[in-house]
Amino acid sequence: EAQVTQNPRYLITVTGKKLTVTCSQNMNHEYMSWYRQDPGLGLRQIYYSMNVEVTDKGDVPEGYKVSRKEKRNFPLILESPSPNQTSLYFCASWSGMTGNTIYFGEGSWLTVV
Amino acid sequence: TQLLEQSPQFLSIQEGENLTVYCNSSSVFSSLQWYRQEPGEGPVLLVTVVTGGEVKKLKRLTFQFGDARKDSSLHITAAQPGDTGLYLCAGPHFNDYKLSFGAGTTVTVRA
C-alpha cells in the first residue's frame, strides 16, 4: 500500500528544544516536500527535495532544516523551536511525473510553548 | 503571495444549491490537482487535470482546466452536507517541480 508516514503525530515541546519530525515513503518517489498549514494561509511549502542530497527552500524555510540522505526519508528538523512554529505539518511525496498523485502523510500537530 | 489564488475563501450554502470554486494563477502548470481536507487530516486527492481545456466529472463534481493551463475550477451540483470541507488546488510549476497550493476554500453545506 502506498504510504507516507510521519512521526510523531502529536508533540508538545518547549522553546529551544531541538526536535525532528520524520517522514518516510514507500513508493520510491524522487520528490518529497514539507508543508505547514495555518488557519487562513493554506499549505505553505517549507522545503522540498527533488532527489537524494538535492534540497531547496520553499516559501517559509526560516527556522527549519531538512536532509535527504536516502530516497525514502526526508526528516524535518527544528533546531531551536519557537512558538510561531506551532502548526500542523504535512510531508508529501510525488513521482515528479506530470499528473501523478501527490501523497500526503497524516500530519503532525506541533505545539511549542 | 500565493502562486495559486483560490476564491472564494469561504462559501456557505444550503443543501441542494450549486457552487463553484476557482483556482487562478499567472503561471502555467503542467497539471493541477484538487484535494479535499477534513479537519485534522491530510488532504485527499479528488482529481488531477493535465490537458488544457480538460473537463473531468466525478459524480456531482465537475473539474475544468483552463485552455492556457493557468486556472481551474471545481463545480459541485446539488451540494450535500457531506461535501463540507476545505478544498485545495495544487500543482507543480511548468518549468520546475516545486509544488504550490492555493490557500483553500472552506465550503459549508447546511442541511
Side-chain angles (χ1 to χ4, degrees):
Chain A
E1 180 191 351
Q3 223 168 15
V4 178
T5 304
Q6 294 178 227
N7 279 296
R9 294 288 317 281
Y10 304 92
L11 180 64
I12 300 175
T13 190
V14 296
T15 299
K17 186 176 180 182
K18 181 180 178 180
L19 69 93
T20 299
V21 186
T22 63
C23 175
S24 181
Q25 51 98 358
N26 64 358
M27 295 161 281
N28 202 37
H29 285 164
E30 293 187 347
Y31 182 101
M32 296 184 76
S33 183
W34 276 102
Y35 295 87
R36 60 177 289 173
Q37 187 173 30
D38 303 288
L41 296 175
L43 283 155
R44 293 181 295 167
Q45 192 172 48
I46 302 170
Y47 269 93
Y48 65 104
S49 170
M50 291 181 67
N51 214 325
V52 174
E53 304 292 2
V54 181
T55 64
D56 205 351
K57 295 178 180 178
D59 298 317
V60 288
E62 295 78 21
Y64 304 95
K65 284 174 60 177
V66 292
S67 70
R68 188 92 182 272
K69 294 185 170 58
E70 314 164 272
K71 205 171 190 178
R72 63 182 292 122
N73 296 322
F74 190 45
L76 179 69
I77 303 156
L78 285 74
E79 292 274 3
S80 182
S82 61
N84 65 11
Q85 291 178 297
T86 292
S87 188
L88 175 59
Y89 291 85
F90 287 102
C91 179
S93 81
W94 175 53
S95 69
M97 294 177 65
T98 297
N100 277 31
T101 300
I102 306 164
Y103 292 86
F104 286 89
E106 292 181 300
S108 295
W109 288 95
L110 172 64
T111 301
V112 184
V113 298
Chain B
T1 304
Q2 308 255 179
L3 200 65
L4 284 166
E5 298 287 340
Q6 279 187 247
S7 61
Q9 186 177 358
F10 299 97
L11 197 52
S12 180
I13 60 170
Q14 201 69 32
E15 182 177 3
E17 293 181 340
N18 302 332
L19 68 95
T20 302
V21 178
Y22 299 94
C23 178
N24 296 299
S25 176
S26 57
S27 299
V28 175
F29 286 85
S30 55
S31 64
L32 274 179
Q33 300 185 329
W34 284 93
Y35 290 82
R36 182 162 159 262
Q37 186 180 16
E38 302 278 358
E41 297 181 7
V44 175
L45 180 68
L46 294 173
V47 80
T48 300
V49 285
V50 180
T51 307
E54 182 177 4
V55 176
K56 278 192 175 178
K57 292 195 174 187
L58 190 67
K59 296 183 181 177
R60 294 177 294 101
L61 278 60
T62 301
F63 304 86
Q64 190 159 6
F65 199 13
D67 291 339
R69 290 188 292 181
K70 293 182 178 181
D71 57 88
S72 182
S73 64
L74 156 62
H75 182 80
I76 301 179
T77 303
Q80 299 175 1
D83 295 324
T84 293
L86 176 67
Y87 289 84
L88 296 157
C89 65
H93 300 188
F94 190 69
N95 291 319
D96 63 37
Y97 294 96
K98 182 179 173 183
L99 284 168
S100 290
F101 279 83
T105 297
T106 299
V107 171
T108 303
V109 182
R110 304 183 305 274

